[in-house]
Amino acid sequence: MGNISMSMDEEGPRRPLSAGQQALWLAHRLAPGSAAYTIVLPVRIRGPLRVEALGAAVEAVSSRHPLLRSRFGEADGEPYRSEPCRGACAGAGGALLVREVPGAGDAELAALVREYAARPFRLAEEPPFLVVLLRRSEEDAVLVVSADHIVSDYASQHLMLREILDAHREFADAGRWAQPPAPYPYDDQVAEERLLLASPRGARAERYWQQVRDGAGPAELPTDRPRPATPGFRGGTRDLEIPDGTARRLTATAGALDSTPFAFLLGVFQAALYRWTGQGDGLIGCPMSTRVGQRTRDTVGYFVNPVPVRSAIGSADTVADVVTAAQRQLIGGMAYAGYPCALLGADRGGRHAPLFRIALTMITTDRQEPVLGPVGGTATEGPAVEYAGLRISRMATPQQEGQLDLMVRIEQSEGALNAAFSYDADLFDADTVERFAGHFGTLLEKAAENPGATVESISLVDQDALARLLALGAGTV
């Protein structure tokens, strides 16, 4: 598309950012040393990995996707990105970093992965993309694909991994990579967003989201410490493994209520917040994908729009009522998902009002190639699969901690569900988040069994904990 204006400087053409990217740039400016927006996809690789071919593959993928070799800056208060170099010069963002770790145990490998997950990108000075090979031996290594969220999302991470592994195999076998057709340019996505914002359709979308927001503030959990004046974007994570039986029941119950499993999870999550806070009317965020059809399937970029979802829970509402309301909101919002809700965080009375402080998202891992199963329980890596002549498995590592008060990511793979509760460590103790996650899990199990129960009537104490409390009480009588 030819309607993106560009200005030239020593860095190359200055290109405008999407509204979501602008919000991420602002977050980076507030805490440039934070890794809250670093996304990593670490995989254990067993098989004949050729370092030279892998290095060529990483550089080719970096050259193929312009965002991966970008720098970000600001001129006259307007953020932009530039592509200062190509080809060999792109090595600053397209070179493979090899770290030899012979004899390293699994715990040491996991610690090294966490080290790179905690590495922030200096967006004004370096490309927002890094690939590290932790090589224990010639046929045993960990590949860490890392990028800043301003240029990537979950689908992009899998796309980068897939292309790197495909290119590695072809470079190793033939010395060259027969690249797929050129991807849809992300600049065109930015241009289309700007056209939407200037159109009657964009105005209708803005009115819709303003109506969702009108009169409601962000849902909040009671904090363990006062909220600091400036967010530190540092945090922690607590995991919740949802039993297979509960996952099967909630899927069946959701179907009986004519809702999706995600709508069921969303409704129960809203109910858990209500039980903790008594706040029946509040907004939480639900990141929606802005990838449309097949056109953007092979484009690396930030295709995420966190939209507000509003709860309206009263004392008489049942689980079915709450889930049905969540389903209605998700369906209604899909028609307007292209409108960047980052623009709704306008000032009220001269003060900035965040749209939401808590968010929930679900990722279906078996829709991405290669299909990497979830890492469940206390395991350090998931099930291994064969891909591009190698045996690979996903490794577990905390990431993207401290973006919000609480961000819950639920991963679904082959019917199994796992949830990660990432929180702001300036506000919450780990025990508080773990207790809330446990209550959500208990409420989810009981809601799936009896959706006709009122939200207030469901006990959040499981039977084992109740027995311990009763025994403790009996001992003190």
Side-chain angles (χ1 to χ4, degrees):
M1 301 179 67
N3 58 341
I4 291 184
S5 62
M6 301 177 187
S7 61
M8 295 294 295
D9 66 2
E10 66 278 3
E11 297 176 325
R14 290 179 177 176
R15 303 169 187 271
L17 307 185
S18 69
Q21 287 181 310
Q22 290 182 32
L24 292 173
W25 171 253
L26 176 60
H28 174 75
R29 289 287 304 273
L30 289 173
S34 169
Y37 292 95
T38 296
I39 310 178
V40 297
L41 179 57
V43 291
R44 185 75 173 268
I45 297 181
R46 296 175 177 86
L49 197 63
R50 292 178 53 179
V51 173
E52 287 187 6
L54 186 63
V58 171
E59 188 162 325
V61 170
S62 175
S63 180
R64 172 173 162 80
H65 297 285
L67 263 66
L68 299 182
R69 57 178 188 268
S70 296
R71 309 291 192 278
F72 291 81
E74 204 169 292
D76 300 324
E78 187 73 16
Y80 65 87
R81 75 173 185 90
S82 63
E83 298 165 28
C85 53
R86 292 176 178 270
C89 179
L96 172 70
L97 174 61
V98 180
R99 188 165 171 176
E100 302 288 352
V101 288
D106 289 348
E108 183 178 349
L109 280 178
L112 289 170
V113 171
R114 289 195 298 272
E115 175 185 321
Y116 288 103
R119 178 193 182 277
F121 287 95
R122 301 187 302 273
L123 296 178
E125 304 165 20
E126 64 180 357
F129 173 58
L130 178 67
V131 181
V132 180
L133 182 68
L134 305 171
R135 193 163 73 150
R136 190 152 65 172
S137 69
E138 291 185 357
E139 297 200 359
D140 185 3
V142 174
L143 189 69
V144 184
V145 180
S146 177
D148 192 278
H149 206 3
I150 201 168
V151 300
S152 186
D153 55 19
Y154 182 83
S156 295
Q157 294 296 117
H158 272 262
L159 170 61
M160 286 185 277
L161 175 65
R162 183 179 77 232
E163 290 191 348
I164 288 169
L165 295 179
D166 287 346
H168 164 264
R169 178 170 56 184
E170 293 189 29
F171 275 119
D173 292 345
R176 61 183 299 274
W177 178 33
Q179 293 190 25
Y184 172 78
Y186 190 79
D187 282 343
D188 285 9
Q189 180 77 5
V190 176
E192 289 194 5
E193 179 185 272
R194 294 189 168 204
L195 289 173
L196 170 67
L197 293 176
S199 71
R201 186 164 60 94
R204 289 193 299 270
E206 181 183 13
R207 287 195 298 271
Y208 174 85
W209 291 117
Q210 291 289 7
Q211 288 171 1
V212 170
R213 178 189 187 184
D214 189 36
E220 297 185 46
L221 284 172
T223 63
D224 295 314
R225 286 171 291 281
R227 187 179 301 279
T230 303
F233 295 104
R234 65 182 193 90
T237 300
R238 284 295 179 268
D239 295 322
L240 173 69
E241 187 172 8
I242 299 170
D244 289 346
T246 300
R248 288 192 296 270
R249 280 192 294 275
L250 78 84
T251 300
T253 303
L257 296 175
D258 291 327
S259 73
T260 63
F262 178 65
F264 192 90
L265 289 160
L266 173 59
V268 173
F269 183 70
Q270 290 173 318
L273 290 172
Y274 170 72
R275 289 294 303 273
W276 263 57
T277 66
Q279 181 185 8
D281 189 3
L283 299 172
I284 69 169
C286 286
M288 286 189 174
S289 175
T290 57
R291 292 180 185 270
V292 179
Q294 298 298 307
R295 182 180 61 177
T296 57
R297 181 188 60 184
D298 294 328
T299 300
V300 167
Y302 179 74
F303 290 91
V304 181
N305 184 21
V307 305
V309 176
R310 186 169 181 171
S311 62
I313 303 175
S315 59
D317 284 327
T318 66
V319 169
D321 294 332
V322 176
V323 169
T324 300
Q327 174 74 4
R328 276 200 306 268
Q329 283 208 58
L330 291 173
I331 291 174
M334 286 179 65
Y336 304 102
Y339 181 87
C341 290
L343 298 179
L344 298 175
D347 289 345
R348 291 180 176 177
R351 294 177 303 173
H352 183 72
L355 193 57
F356 48 79
R357 299 186 186 277
I358 297 172
L360 175 78
T361 186
M362 186 166 79
I363 298 166
T364 304
T365 60
D366 49 14
R367 291 180 183 173
Q368 306 295 334
E369 184 71 19
V371 177
L372 298 172
V375 186
T378 59
T380 58
E381 60 182 280
V385 298
E386 299 287 339
Y387 187 83
L390 301 166
R391 192 161 178 79
I392 65 174
S393 57
R394 186 155 67 105
M395 292 191 67
T397 192
Q399 57 180 297
Q400 301 179 71
E401 298 172 329
Q403 290 183 13
L404 299 169
D405 288 11
L406 182 66
M407 165 67 87
V408 182
R409 298 178 184 83
I410 298 176
E411 291 193 359
Q412 180 185 46
S413 179
E414 298 179 352
L417 294 173
N418 293 278
F421 290 68
S422 297
Y423 60 91
D424 187 333
D426 288 336
L427 301 178
F428 298 107
D429 295 328
D431 289 346
T432 300
V433 176
E434 190 164 358
R435 188 165 64 253
F436 176 77
H439 286 169
F440 169 70
T442 299
L443 186 59
L444 190 62
E445 180 179 359
K446 295 181 179 181
E449 292 175 348
N450 184 14
T454 61
V455 170
E456 289 195 351
S457 70
I458 299 176
S459 172
L460 297 183
V461 182
D462 62 34
Q463 292 302 312
D464 289 342
L466 180 60
R468 289 194 296 273
L469 288 173
L470 291 173
L472 180 63
T476 58
V477 172

